[in-house]
């Protein structure tokens, strides 16, 4: 069962803030609810190394855990080249640069709406240290 759309957006914004806190690059939040039943939002973030990708993914899990959200599925942590965290309404993709360039997931979902996550985090006072 899905959260209210406002709660889904808030979850996506906490994810974006969590990946930014670990210095992820090229953070993108897409509103995909009009184009897929998989989730309401996708969050994409890049890391430069296996260690950074793992740290980014752990930051998301820890941040959302504090919000009472549990990870429904976690894939890719052992190789940490592409880690997927599924929170139901929000799916987070953390990719190393090479994988991100190869798969170009944001371009695949380019018909989704781009969320100005920095503006929305500021508006809702969402911060992660």
């Amino acid at each position: 069962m899905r959260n209210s759309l406002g709660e889904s957006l808030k979850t996506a914004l906490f994810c974006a803030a969590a990946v930014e806190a670990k210095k992820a690059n090229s953070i993108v939040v897409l509103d995909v609810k009009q184009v897929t039943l998989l989730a309401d939002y996708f969050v994409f973030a890049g890391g430069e190394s296996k260690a950074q990708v793992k740290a980014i993914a752990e930051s998301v899990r820890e941040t959302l855990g504090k919000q009472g959200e549990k990870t429904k599925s976690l894939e890719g942590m052992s190789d940490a080249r592409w880690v997927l965290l599924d929170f139901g309404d929000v799916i987070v993709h953390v990719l190393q640069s090479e994988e991100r360039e190869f798969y170009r997931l944001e371009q695949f979902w380019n018909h989704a709406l781009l969320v100005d996550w920095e503006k929305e985090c500021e508006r809702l006072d969402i911060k992660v240290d």
Side-chain angles (χ1 to χ4, degrees), residues 10-27:
K10 198 171 177 182
T11 298
L13 295 174
F14 270 106
C15 290
V19 300
E20 181 186 44
K22 291 299 180 185
K23 309 293 186 218
N25 57 49
S26 304
I27 303 165

Side-chain angles (χ1 to χ4, degrees), residues 48-68:
E48 295 303 317
S49 67
K50 181 177 182 175
Q52 186 185 18
V53 167
K54 282 186 172 189
I56 292 167
E58 285 301 327
S59 176
V60 172
R61 288 180 71 188
E62 180 181 315
T63 299
L64 288 194
K66 291 176 184 175
Q67 300 301 315

Side-chain angles (χ1 to χ4, degrees), residues 33-57:
K33 58 187 167 293
Q34 300 300 319
V35 296
T36 184
L37 296 175
L38 293 174
D40 290 340
Y41 294 91
F42 287 164
V43 178
F44 298 97
E48 295 303 317
S49 67
K50 181 177 182 175
Q52 186 185 18
V53 167
K54 282 186 172 189
I56 292 167

